[in-house]
Amino acid sequence: MNVYDSARMADVLAPLGYRLVDAPDGADMVILNTCHIREKAAEKVYSELGRIKALKRAKAESGGSMVVAVAGCVAQAEGEAMTERAPVVDLVVGPHTYHRLPELLARAERRRAAGDGRGRGIIDIDFPSDAKFDHLPAPTHTQGVSTFISVQEGCDKFCTFCVVPYTRGAEYSRPVGQIVAEAERAVAAGSVEITLLGQNVNAYHGIETKSGETWGLGRLIRHLAEIAGVARIRYTTSHPRDMDEELIAAHRDEARLMPFLHLPVQSGSDRILAAMNRQHGAGDYRRLVDRLRAARSDLALSSDFIVGFPGESDADFQATLSLVRDVGYAQAFSFKYSVRPGTPASMMEDQVPDAVKEDRLAQLQALLRAQQAAFNRDQRGRTLPVLFTGPGRHAGQLVGRSPYLQPVHAIAPARLIGTVVEVAIESVQPNSLAGRLAAPTPAANDERVVA
Ligand code: 5AD
Ligand code: SF4
């Protein structure tokens, strides 16, 4: 979602004459778009600001000036504390108000010109009652072959470990019309894959103004799949509780919906899931996976896991390992529980010592790595539809993505970038696959084929 937000910030700033550059050195403005989900992500911001301070000084010494802004959830959570700890920061803007960047920039400029407010940045971390999406210009910064579209923001779930409900605020779904317009524009600009984004994306319930109906995510996906030129649809991140019938049916009926689903479970222990306020048990998750696989037999799964949540015993952790063994993941993210100030779990007793977290994380990651390697190995000898996204590592090579998001390398002409092509998988590296273009055959799953 930060990638999406960053592109939208560039759209907002384009009319002021700003354009994107590849490196912060010498830039007129640097925006750090930040994540607050774990402590490590937040700490990275301050170390990066140290580096940017040197660049700002160098720019000033050469007679220029650099505006330093911090956006995103660290900005939202830290507010004024940010400019106090890092006076290099001129502007602090949360995820709800970046459409106001031009106005904030003008204020920062005025303050600088007047020579006042040294070390006092401009802060905007409001939760405005109107949605920023109603104020943003149409996207002009195209994202290439594959486009992220934010359809939902915020979260009302309040998992006890998580800062999102506090930084991103209450759940909000964009109206269907806005999303369709954004998808059509992306396709016109050459995109063939759309990834629908939201912190809790399958809680989507957007208004379709013509009918006055409220659409869920399944309905939205079916509609977007009808846009000519859309070859692939994905969505992330989902909550197991919001996986409704309509969405499961979309996995069964809609070939353009890729058979790869990121469905975080966090833990395999009912006790821990309850303490996390996940609102489902491990059995519910297992049954849900069964229903999804009944709908789409080739569905591959990904998940997020937290180890060392307060009170997690060895038996709880074993329950997580056993759920992983039962479900079988193609890929997964796993983290040590990180205390986030202000969240209920941060105040729980029985915090788990770091050494225990470290040991559990190593065990879990070894299992997940083995599952991922096995999943990748299984692709050898298969022919997969690959969406080529750009040049590969070696001359003459392109890289693309399989339906399961694995990077795939193949010798192929550049004109195939932006098309879905059948590739016979011949070898499997730790993090990618390699193969050769297969003879042109009709794609089994109705994707656009060029070969
Ligand atoms: N500690 C560790 N991991 C966390 N996540 C969210 N909050 C925390 C935390 N406090 C993980 C969850 C979530 C992913 C985006 O980040 O697994 O699904
Ligand atoms: Fe955080 Fe996801 Fe839980 Fe919402 S559902 S509180 S975003 S972990």
Side-chain angles (χ1 to χ4, degrees), residues 37 154-165 199-200 237-239 264 266 276-278 306:
I37 196 86
C155 183
D156 294 342
K157 292 281 188 300
F158 290 93
C159 300
T160 53
F161 52 80
C162 185
V163 288
V164 166
Q199 272 86 30
N200 204 169
T237 289
S238 292
H239 192 289
Q266 315 294 357
M276 287 175 163
N277 188 32
R278 289 291 291 179
I306 295 178

